[in-house]
């Protein structure tokens, strides 16, 4: 005879196991994992790295990460916001990218839609994003101080879990004369 209590316990145990397996399968990646191994890194491309300097214009994407749950830290640049609540943002590898510095190549930009609106204190806030990575070119319109800018991203992560972090482990160092260096200074 079937006992509904035992069946429910078994289902809960199986679901719990599935959840722990899913979190164990999150790939902690770095920015270099989003570009072909043969593509120059920012330092080699005479920072700031721009798509025009690359033979493929940075449109070659890493398909081996397609549909995988990833976690990546970077800097959030709001695309869709209402006050301090952000509904969509671009994740970029350095501060100042896209606004008053050249745009990174598409394979170094992720369009992120958080699972819940993310409360952002400032543009280029360092964050960690966890979610399913989907390769594919997307265009986003940013409104910056001196007008609108269309930015092409090579990846999307929808329903992302987003959390603030103190540092981005593989952040690209800005040149000494960058007007955006103030964003990287720690507050006392």
């Amino acid at each position: 005879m079937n006992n509904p209590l035992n069946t429910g316990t078994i289902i809960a145990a199986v679901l719990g196991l599935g959840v722990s397996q899913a979190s164990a399968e999150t790939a902690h990646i770095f920015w270099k994992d989003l570009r072909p191994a043969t593509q120059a890194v920012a330092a080699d491309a005479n920072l700031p790295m721009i798509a025009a300097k690359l033979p493929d214009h940075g449109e070659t994407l890493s398909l081996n990460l397609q549909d995988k749950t990833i976690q990546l830290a970077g800097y959030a640049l709001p695309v869709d916001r209402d006050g301090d609540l952000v509904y969509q943002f671009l994740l970029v590898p350095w501060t100042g990218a896209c606004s008053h510095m050249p745009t990174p190549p598409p394979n170094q930009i992720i369009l992120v839609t958080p699972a819940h609106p993310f409360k952002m204190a400032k543009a280029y806030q360092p964050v960690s994003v966890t979610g399913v990575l989907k390769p594919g070119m997307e265009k986003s319109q940013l409104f910056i101080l001196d007008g609108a800018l269309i930015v092409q991203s090579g990846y999307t992560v929808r329903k992302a879990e987003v959390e603030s972090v103190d540092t981005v482990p593989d952040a690209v160092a800005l040149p000494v004369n960058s007007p955006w260096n103030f964003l990287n200074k720690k507050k006392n």
Side-chain angles (χ1 to χ4, degrees):
M1 185 167 209
N2 287 339
N3 182 342
L5 181 58
N6 286 340
T7 305
T9 305
I10 291 169
I11 290 171
V14 169
L15 289 176
L17 179 61
V19 168
S20 67
Q21 284 179 341
S23 63
E25 293 177 12
T26 299
H28 298 270
I29 67 169
F30 295 100
W31 286 100
K32 67 179 178 60
D33 298 321
L34 297 177
R35 61 177 176 75
T38 56
Q39 189 177 85
V41 294
D44 298 336
N46 203 13
L47 186 76
M49 180 172 63
I50 57 173
K53 293 182 181 180
L54 303 170
D56 69 347
H57 300 287
E59 293 181 355
T60 302
L61 306 178
S62 180
L63 299 179
N64 62 336
L65 294 170
Q66 181 170 344
D67 298 325
K68 297 208 188 276
T69 300
I70 59 99
Q71 182 176 44
L72 176 66
Y75 299 96
L77 183 58
V79 172
D80 183 13
R81 74 183 311 163
D82 183 14
D84 61 355
L85 291 179
V86 176
Y87 299 94
Q88 195 171 55
F89 63 88
L90 296 175
L91 190 69
V92 295
W94 63 76
T95 57
C98 304
S99 54
H100 281 33
M101 289 183 69
T103 302
N107 64 17
Q108 296 292 283
I109 301 175
I110 300 175
L111 178 62
V112 178
T113 305
H116 309 284
F118 179 70
K119 190 171 184 174
M120 186 179 288
K122 61 180 182 176
Y124 298 109
Q125 181 172 329
V127 297
S128 175
V129 170
T130 304
V132 177
L133 188 71
K134 301 276 188 189
M137 298 295 182
E138 294 267 344
K139 288 188 178 177
S140 302
Q141 185 172 7
L142 290 178
F143 294 96
I144 54 178
L145 294 175
D146 54 354
L149 175 69
I150 303 295
V151 176
Q152 187 166 11
S153 54
Y155 301 94
T156 57
V157 174
R158 289 180 173 50
K159 298 181 183 175
E161 293 302 318
V162 181
E163 60 185 83
S164 294
V165 294
D166 290 330
T167 60
V168 175
D170 62 335
V172 174
L174 295 173
V176 176
N177 60 353
S178 170
W180 295 102
N181 277 325
F182 73 92
L183 293 171
N184 294 330
K185 295 197 170 130
K186 292 269 185 196
K187 293 190 172 44
N188 293 337

